[in-house]
Amino acid sequence: AAANPTTAQQAAVQCLGKLIETAKSKYSPEYTTSAIDAIAVILADDRLTVAGGVVGELLERVEAIGRFAVKRAISSSSKDQVDEEDDDDMQADDAEVVYAIARLYATACKRHHSTNQPQLMSILRFAMEQLDVKRRRGTPLVHAGLCMMVDAVQWMPQQVAQQGCPVSGVLSACLSHQDRDIRQAAVFGCGVVGESHVGDDMLVWL
């Protein structure tokens, strides 16, 4: 028999809370990635309507986890002073957490952009930090940040424009990146910019 919608709703919200608390208190790249992906699945379920306040709190906590994962990745790579290729390998596990956040971000932007803009824009600022060339992030973090930026442009174009995000500059740089996945994501991003009409300067750049 089908579960009562209200019961399923309550169970989903309780599950979200437990997942995020465990991901935060017992951090490991593998578990945290799985927990964030599970949260994304719940938020994407059309049969459930999670209150905006719950989603907002989740996004705030997920961003904190993402910043912790990036800090770990940077710390481990700088401590061993390896070359760029090895640096990317060492960041990969923690970068998977950021990839999971990017997947969650795509769902949140699509379904909750009208009710959780402050939290979504905060995560966008986190994404843009990964794209700042001065920070010299590894390829996985750059790719995850780029995916989040493109999702923000797709679902919140006016807010992104108002924020002054250097979307055209980032895409231009990523189009010539040595990594194929980043180049492909940048090409997709150009299409999103064209469809979203995010500002005259970006359309002129295209």
Side-chain angles (χ1 to χ4, degrees), residues 65-79:
I65 291 172
R67 291 187 178 281
F68 178 72
V70 169
K71 185 177 180 180
R72 269 177 45 109
I74 295 170
S75 174
S76 63
S77 62
S78 61
K79 183 168 56 180

Side-chain angles (χ1 to χ4, degrees), residues 12 15-16 19 31-44 100 104:
C15 182
L16 287 171
L19 282 169
Y31 176 81
T32 304
T33 297
S34 298
I36 293 173
D37 279 337
I39 292 169
V41 169
I42 294 173
L43 293 184
L104 171 63

Side-chain angles (χ1 to χ4, degrees), residues 31-64:
Y31 176 81
T32 304
T33 297
S34 298
I36 293 173
D37 279 337
I39 292 169
V41 169
I42 294 173
L43 293 184
D45 193 330
D46 291 332
R47 298 167 298 177
L48 302 173
T49 304
V50 182
V54 174
V55 176
E57 184 178 355
L58 284 170
L59 292 173
E60 289 173 358
R61 295 185 181 184
V62 164
E63 180 185 347

